[in-house]
Amino acid sequence: MHTSARGWTKRIWIYAVAFCLATGVLLSTDRDTVAGAVSGRIKVVATTSMIADAASAIGGERVEVTALMGPGIDPHTYRQTRSDIVALVKADVVFWNGLYLEAQLEEFLVDLGKRKRVFAVGEAVPPDQLISHKTYAGRFDPHVWMDPDRWRHVVNSVRDRLIAVSPDDEALFQANADAYLKRIAEIGVYARQALASVREGQRVLLTAHDAFNYFGKSYGYEVIGIQGISTESEAGLSRIRAIVEDIVARKISAVFVETSVADRNVRAVIEGAAARGHKVSIGGELFSDAMGKPGTYEGTYVGMIDHNVTTITRALGGSAPERGMAGLLTVSG
Amino acid sequence: MEGFLSALLLQSGYNAALVGIGAALLGIAAGGTGTFIFLRKRSLVSDAAAHATLPGICLAFMAMVAFGGDGRNLTGLMIGSAASAAVALVLVDWISRETRLPEDAAIGAVLSVFFGFGIVLMTVIQTMTSGRQAGLESFLLGSTAGMLFNEAVTIAIAGAVAGLLLLLLHRRMTLVAFDPEFAATTGVDVRSTDLATMGLVLVVTVIGLKVVGLVLIVAMLIIPAVAARFWTERVDRLVAIAAVIGGVSGYTGAAASAAYPNVPTGAIIVLISFGLFAVSLAFAPVRGVVASLYRHVRFQRQVHLRQGLLAVARGEPIFDGLTLKVLRFFGHIRADGVATLSGRAAAAKALRDEARWEVARETHQEDMSVARFDGLTAIEKVFTPDEIAELDRRIGDRIGVVA
Amino acid sequence: MRNALQGSIGIVARNGETALAADLSNLPLLIDGLTVSYGEKPAIFSIDASFAAGRMIAIVGPNGAGKSTLIKAALGIVPRLSGTVRVFGQPIEQVRGRMAYVPQRASVDWDFPARVVDVVMMGLYRTLGFLRFAGTKERSTALACLDRVGMADFAERQIGQLSGGQQQRVFLARALAQDADLYLLDEPLAGVDAATERTIMDVLKSLKTEGRTVICVHHDLSTVERYFDDVLLINVRKIAEGPVASTFTDRNLQKTYGGRLAGAHIEQLRLPVE
């Protein structure tokens, strides 16, 4: 059979392409999912930094934790990037909050959960301790980290899942978890004390969005969020007006902005109140859906709660040390 | 309802009043500017400009953060948005002029590339560890609820600047829109005028970002002008009406958003302006659909009346149902189809007028009012009595009768 | 053979013939080596032409000859590839106030929201500058121009409702409002009715009587001799220019139109028209 030169070139191209495709397919196969045990450090991917903090604390040297959402990032609107997907696929275990916090990732994570170890640890909180969503029946408020007592359940869940991944490390994980839970208990006590020092009539927490319901329920505070539970909904003018009237009528003196949400609505409320002759100031910036910068005290769960509690207490006229529970808070100049 | 009314009267509180005035000013500026790009047949360029603001906003944010500042500084973000929109407009202009791509293809290409780039940048910003990027996506659909005093002031100043530019340049822009070649021969710099118009579009777009967002600002530039077109045939009135429609949409949209919960301001403003457009389309007396229908029906009636009368005069039978109906309506024929006395008189006049028109068409070939020689205009409206007498005389000459 | 220069002041014949012109520098329009191209093909190539004051000149040639391009280049609204244009001895930009342009009707969207009087007033915009508003003086000037073209009754009419001839008259009225010394018209008689043609030619003749210069791209060969004093024949290049009697010849027409005009047809054109 006589094959021309052109025919040969074509064949070589086809073989080359086929070869590349085959190699690509082989190389991209994730070998780790096949076997059960994990060698080396456990790759943990967490969505929120709060969960990542728990995973790091419990796992210690045995884990390599990546948080998808850093400081100032809004989990309600966060969309996964290509590198996120790569990390998630390569992970040994994935922790996310669930309860529809990561609204844009939900579908992807549920799907991923069919093939890999993916756990919505926020749902470890017992249902009777969850607050129902005001607007959507059957849904819950996802901001469970705001109450250290409820967050305990989540930490336990992370611990249990890590043990399931690497049973050999059970003792280590248990010990780390105990230490971590102890510190959470401490901050819980501190919070209760400090927040109780605020006068009854002043216990109103007005923030950019409705992230503090668990906080409010646990410590007896009234919580008003300008935007709803999710930042996806726009706050209408009538809502702003209603809040302004509320503030003026009840003489609320301090409102709070959040690091992961725009502060424009809060400032609009302040201007609205000022136009009615009532002065409101910004009591401080709270960590609502994200923690502080990694590497700082506020970049840890305990530090986040510490900062929030201290800021709120001091702004509303209660007494709390300026530098928080253990004198570790950075004070803004 | 009372809530809406009180909002309209600026009685719903400071925030609502601020948004109402800000949105009204934006609507006025957008309506006026939009008129000229509509006349210039470049309305869609505003869409390209609006979508192209996104990468500029993101780049400005990233730059400000890189230099250690507050990424959300509004002035910086506005400058960034204006800069990238300007680049996009220059690019559209260049592509239309230098390549064989038609302008709408150029607009589509630039719009999507810039917007896509902006979305990519937003994803990058999302993962920046410096934080505080919350709120950038509010530029997409606007967020009026939280309008601040300094933002309203910015809108007012920008609106005033736009108004001043419109005042100074309206003649040039009209001329360039109508006949750019003629404009060039009178010494008007067509390119600069177009650039100035685009600059106005930029200003309106940038101030509209926070009020209605970049996705919807194009509606505020296009709809008022198009709606106004139904009401007038003069440019100065067109600009005024468009400005009013834009302002009213902005103001009432803000009031509606203040009165009713869960009503996003930007969308309701656009919906109201579309409602005004629909009303204009239907009911405007000059070019509206209802008016056109009415004129058509009336014209049809006139034609049938005339033809019917001529048929009566010539003794021809009438079969057309509408003709019979019209003749009956005016009392020219009885129910059984026989002509009444007034009908016969009218028919005779119609016949005579027809003869008059024929003579007039011959003798007045060069007279410009020949254009109205459609036979349906009463001859008394076109010619003076002595002219009609002259026509009668000529008819008499032809048929040998002294009139 | 009549002398090509006889009876015309200021016509310059190149190609080696002696120039007998009066003051060249004040010619209403002087074109030297003008080349304009769209893309790679030249629309007009190396055209030399001069136009004397107080004359009616026709620019004649087949389709695609570049007649409109020549006019637009003379007005400076298309870019020149090479060559110069001098209007009254100066560059175009400096004498725009003395030039008026009547474009083809098709160049405009007649659905534009404007009344007849609005369009005519556009001829006066240049005098208004940025700040002044158009007032009664401008309006009466516009109405006077409309009256000259017989359109005074139509002042308030929307331009989309006009017939072709009426639209042409409005354009002419706009040019009249500019009160120029040099008028350039692009096919002003194309597709107009007989009455309009008469009116337009009367107006143009009156302009000539006032000492102004009128240059028309003209489409109808059979009326060139009747209406115009001089003619410029072009087909991308200049074929001939000069007084109609000596320039509008069989030979020149053959050269201009190539084989497109049958011999007999040209004979018809040359016959005296009553």
Side-chain angles (χ1 to χ4, degrees):
Chain A
M1 194 176 65
H2 216 82
T3 321
S4 64
R6 275 277 291 287
W8 267 115
T9 320
K10 205 165 151 189
R11 281 193 176 193
I12 289 178
W13 268 110
I14 295 174
Y15 291 148
V17 169
F19 176 74
C20 287
L21 280 174
T23 321
V25 166
L26 280 171
L27 283 177
S28 64
T29 312
D30 193 325
R31 269 161 278 139
D32 280 338
T33 42
V34 181
V38 175
S39 55
R41 296 175 76 175
I42 307 169
K43 293 202 199 70
V44 177
V45 171
T47 50
T48 65
S49 40
M50 290 76 80
I51 298 174
D53 190 54
S56 302
I58 296 173
E61 287 294 311
R62 290 288 296 125
V63 295
E64 193 184 303
V65 180
T66 316
L68 292 184
M69 304 179 198
I73 292 180
D74 182 348
H76 298 288
T77 58
Y78 184 82
R79 286 193 152 71
Q80 69 270 31
T81 66
R82 285 246 74 217
S83 45
D84 289 348
I85 296 180
V86 169
L88 285 164
V89 164
K90 282 211 181 123
D92 296 319
V93 59
V94 174
F95 294 123
W96 55 302
N97 192 74
L99 299 173
Y100 214 63
L101 175 71
E102 303 96 337
Q104 321 300 331
L105 302 179
E106 173 118 348
E107 209 178 301
F108 175 74
L109 288 171
V110 165
D111 199 54
L112 190 65
K114 296 181 192 144
R115 297 176 284 134
K116 301 185 67 68
R117 301 190 192 98
V118 178
F119 305 109
V121 293
E123 289 164 11
V125 176
D128 59 335
Q129 293 193 31
L130 290 173
I131 299 177
S132 287
H133 202 292
K134 281 178 217 155
T135 331
Y136 299 108
R139 288 243 200 103
F140 299 102
D141 184 332
H143 302 89
V144 289
W145 58 89
M146 281 306 179
D147 174 20
D149 290 334
R150 286 171 167 88
W151 193 242
R152 263 192 313 118
H153 300 283
V154 175
V155 173
N156 288 335
S157 175
V158 170
R159 176 202 60 202
D160 295 338
R161 300 292 185 191
L162 281 176
I163 289 174
V165 168
S166 180
D168 296 341
D169 296 308
E170 179 172 349
L172 173 67
F173 293 162
Q174 193 74 47
N176 287 346
D178 286 341
Y180 192 61
L181 285 167
K182 184 150 163 285
R183 291 174 52 223
I184 290 181
E186 279 170 11
I187 196 69
V189 167
Y190 169 73
R192 210 161 284 285
Q193 277 177 344
L195 291 167
S197 73
V198 173
R199 217 164 33 87
E200 283 266 357
Q202 287 292 315
R203 292 184 194 172
V204 179
L205 186 61
L206 201 150
T207 59
H209 86 295
D210 232 351
F212 292 85
N213 281 318
Y214 290 104
F215 176 97
K217 193 155 176 206
S218 189
Y219 302 113
Y221 274 62
E222 185 185 341
V223 166
I224 307 173
I226 301 179
Q227 281 175 280
I229 283 181
S230 169
T231 53
E232 293 177 277
S233 62
E234 189 194 314
L237 258 179
S238 60
R239 176 113 182 98
I240 300 274
R241 180 166 121 239
I243 290 182
V244 166
E245 281 176 15
D246 209 14
I247 290 181
V248 170
R250 294 159 60 175
K251 299 207 182 333
I252 297 168
S253 58
V255 299
F256 300 87
V257 296
E258 304 168 28
T259 60
S260 59
V261 178
D263 57 359
R264 200 159 156 263
N265 288 337
V266 176
R267 289 198 285 148
V269 161
I270 292 175
E271 272 189 15
R276 309 250 315 248
H278 179 71
K279 186 169 179 305
V280 186
S281 53
I282 294 184
E285 192 177 47
L286 302 178
F287 297 108
S288 55
D289 290 349
M291 306 196 304
K293 270 170 84 163
T296 64
Y297 175 56
E298 286 84 351
T300 66
Y301 176 74
V302 172
M304 166 193 186
I305 301 292
D306 194 356
H307 170 91
N308 285 352
V309 165
T310 308
T311 307
I312 292 170
T313 306
R314 290 173 65 83
L316 294 180
S319 58
E322 199 185 352
R323 300 196 63 142
M325 176 176 75
L328 290 169
L329 285 177
T330 42
V331 181
S332 45
Chain B
M1 195 60 200
E2 317 82 54
F4 182 56
L5 284 175
S6 83
L8 281 177
L9 296 171
L10 293 179
Q11 298 297 323
S12 285
Y14 167 87
N15 302 86
L18 207 58
V19 174
I21 294 174
L25 287 173
L26 172 70
I28 293 173
T33 306
T35 308
F36 287 104
I37 54 172
F38 165 66
L39 289 175
R40 192 79 173 95
K41 303 199 195 310
R42 293 225 177 129
S43 294
L44 222 47
V45 174
S46 53
D47 204 13
H51 280 79
T53 55
L54 190 60
I57 294 171
C58 294
L59 287 171
F61 177 88
M62 290 160 80
M64 288 194 283
V65 164
F67 283 107
D70 178 9
R72 292 187 229 159
N73 179 284
L74 192 61
T75 318
L77 292 176
M78 280 191 164
I79 293 176
S81 66
S84 64
V87 169
L89 287 176
V90 166
L91 205 54
V92 167
D93 186 52
W94 184 86
I95 292 177
S96 317
R97 272 186 309 115
E98 298 294 328
T99 72
R100 296 171 66 144
L101 274 181
E103 192 180 31
D104 53 353
I107 290 172
V110 169
L111 190 159
S112 30
V113 166
F114 272 67
F115 189 66
F117 182 46
I119 296 289
V120 166
L121 285 177
M122 284 196 68
T123 319
V124 169
I125 286 178
Q126 187 181 232
T127 53
M128 273 165 64
T129 53
S130 56
R132 315 194 100 255
Q133 54 269 62
L136 279 187
E137 65 280 349
S138 70
F139 283 97
L140 285 169
L141 285 173
S143 57
T144 37
M147 184 173 290
L148 303 170
F149 183 69
N150 59 1
E151 290 170 7
V153 167
T154 310
I155 293 176
I157 294 177
V161 166
L164 190 65
L165 272 176
L166 280 172
L167 201 62
L168 283 178
L169 295 176
H170 77 279
R171 267 198 297 270
R172 274 168 198 240
M173 294 199 281
T174 307
L175 194 54
V176 165
F178 176 62
D179 195 348
E181 282 184 340
F182 175 78
T185 65
T186 62
V188 169
D189 186 342
V190 173
R191 265 248 48 238
S192 315
T193 309
D194 280 340
L195 278 175
T197 314
M198 282 306 138
L200 274 169
V201 168
L202 267 183
V203 167
V204 170
T205 303
V206 167
I207 63 178
L209 286 178
K210 270 288 174 178
V211 181
V212 294
L214 62 91
V215 172
L216 293 176
I217 186 66
V218 61
M220 298 211 67
L221 280 162
I222 295 183
I223 296 181
V226 171
R229 185 70 184 88
F230 288 100
W231 295 94
T232 179
E233 300 286 357
R234 292 171 55 169
V235 173
D236 48 357
R237 290 186 189 169
L238 189 63
V239 175
I241 295 175
V244 165
I245 290 179
V248 165
S249 307
Y251 192 70
T252 38
S257 175
Y260 306 109
N262 296 325
V263 172
T265 315
I268 198 69
I269 289 177
V270 172
L271 282 175
I272 290 179
S273 71
F274 179 76
L276 291 172
F277 164 77
V279 166
S280 307
L281 170 70
F283 299 113
V286 177
R287 286 164 75 115
V289 164
V290 168
S292 299
L293 269 174
Y294 172 73
R295 276 195 294 268
H296 176 77
V297 167
R298 205 178 63 167
F299 182 71
Q300 207 181 25
R301 283 255 221 92
Q302 273 182 311
V303 168
H304 279 265
L305 177 64
R306 183 163 197 81
Q307 287 181 321
L309 285 175
L310 286 174
V312 167
R314 291 175 186 143
E316 295 162 358
I318 301 170
F319 298 112
D320 188 276
L322 182 58
T323 310
L324 290 169
K325 224 159 89 176
V326 171
L327 287 172
R328 268 195 287 265
F329 177 79
F330 283 104
H332 293 316
I333 61 172
R334 294 204 308 252
D336 58 359
V338 175
T340 62
L341 201 56
S342 70
R344 275 187 269 149
K349 178 162 197 309
L351 198 60
R352 190 181 52 186
D353 281 350
E354 195 70 9
R356 284 168 171 169
W357 282 117
E358 208 183 307
V359 173
R361 271 190 281 265
E362 284 171 21
T363 58
H364 285 79
Q365 275 179 5
E366 298 172 17
D367 195 317
M368 282 321 301
S369 39
V370 170
R372 292 163 76 180
F373 281 13
D374 53 11
L376 293 176
T377 319
I379 198 164
E380 289 81 7
K381 284 213 179 84
V382 180
F383 291 111
T384 59
D386 53 297
E387 285 175 321
I388 295 179
E390 172 63 21
L391 290 172
D392 285 342
R393 194 187 58 77
R394 285 182 191 249
I395 296 175
D397 281 348
R398 280 187 202 182
I399 63 177
V401 168
V402 175
Chain C
M1 178 69 173
R2 270 183 270 168
N3 189 332
L5 301 173
Q6 183 181 17
S8 56
I9 306 160
I11 290 290
V12 178
R14 302 223 165 193
N15 310 324
E17 293 183 28
T18 44
L20 196 67
D23 193 0
L24 263 183
S25 65
N26 271 334
L27 281 177
L29 184 59
L30 179 63
I31 294 173
D32 185 15
L34 185 62
T35 303
V36 175
S37 73
Y38 302 115
E40 307 264 314
K41 269 189 75 173
I44 52 176
F45 186 80
S46 194
I47 302 225
D48 308 318
S50 50
F51 302 82
R55 313 277 288 177
M56 299 238 316
I57 305 114
I59 300 180
V60 160
N63 286 336
K67 310 187 291 291
S68 292
T69 308
L70 179 59
I71 292 254
K72 291 183 187 177
L75 288 158
I77 57 180
V78 301
R80 297 192 292 277
L81 201 58
S82 72
T84 58
V85 175
R86 286 284 176 270
V87 176
F88 296 109
Q90 296 179 300
I92 307 166
E93 291 72 25
Q94 292 175 12
V95 281
R96 289 216 176 273
R98 297 176 72 181
M99 305 168 72
Y101 176 46
V102 178
Q104 292 189 19
R105 290 200 308 278
S107 63
V108 154
D109 177 11
W110 290 92
D111 198 36
F112 194 86
R115 302 164 301 169
V116 163
V117 67
D118 294 326
V119 173
V120 177
M121 288 220 274
M122 287 181 188
L124 298 166
Y125 279 0
R126 195 189 147 82
T127 63
L128 289 174
F130 279 115
L131 291 171
R132 284 175 47 208
F133 278 101
T136 38
K137 191 168 87 108
E138 285 75 24
R139 197 185 154 84
S140 53
T141 311
L143 288 173
C145 295
L146 279 173
D147 199 39
R148 262 176 98 171
V149 299
M151 290 280 291
D153 287 337
F154 288 71
E156 302 291 325
R157 193 77 62 92
Q158 209 276 327
I159 54 178
Q161 297 171 347
L162 302 177
S163 70
Q166 293 166 342
Q167 290 172 346
Q168 197 65 56
R169 294 184 196 219
V170 171
F171 266 1
L172 182 57
R174 179 176 70 180
L176 290 176
Q178 293 178 272
D179 197 24
D181 295 314
L182 172 63
Y183 287 78
L184 295 120
L185 302 92
D186 198 346
E187 302 206 4
L189 304 178
V192 304
D193 55 282
T196 301
E197 180 162 332
R198 263 193 294 277
T199 306
I200 289 180
M201 289 319 298
D202 286 344
V203 170
L204 294 181
K205 283 200 193 98
S206 70
L207 288 175
K208 172 188 155 175
T209 319
E210 292 165 15
R212 307 176 207 253
T213 311
V214 176
I215 303 174
C216 295
V217 170
H218 193 64
H219 72 291
D220 185 2
L221 293 175
S222 61
T223 49
V224 169
E225 286 176 304
R226 185 162 18 139
Y227 290 150
F228 295 95
D229 304 318
D230 303 323
V231 65
L232 169 64
L233 293 155
I234 70 170
N235 187 354
V236 182
R237 291 167 171 70
K238 180 179 90 175
I239 309 296
E241 72 172 323
V244 161
S246 50
T247 318
F248 201 62
T249 61
D250 291 1
R251 230 185 109 236
N252 282 339
L253 282 168
Q254 281 281 18
K255 275 167 70 177
T256 310
Y257 283 80
R260 283 196 249 181
L261 283 185
H265 191 48
I266 296 185
E267 258 307 306
Q268 270 187 322
L269 296 173
R270 302 287 291 126
L271 284 175
V273 193
E274 83 278 329

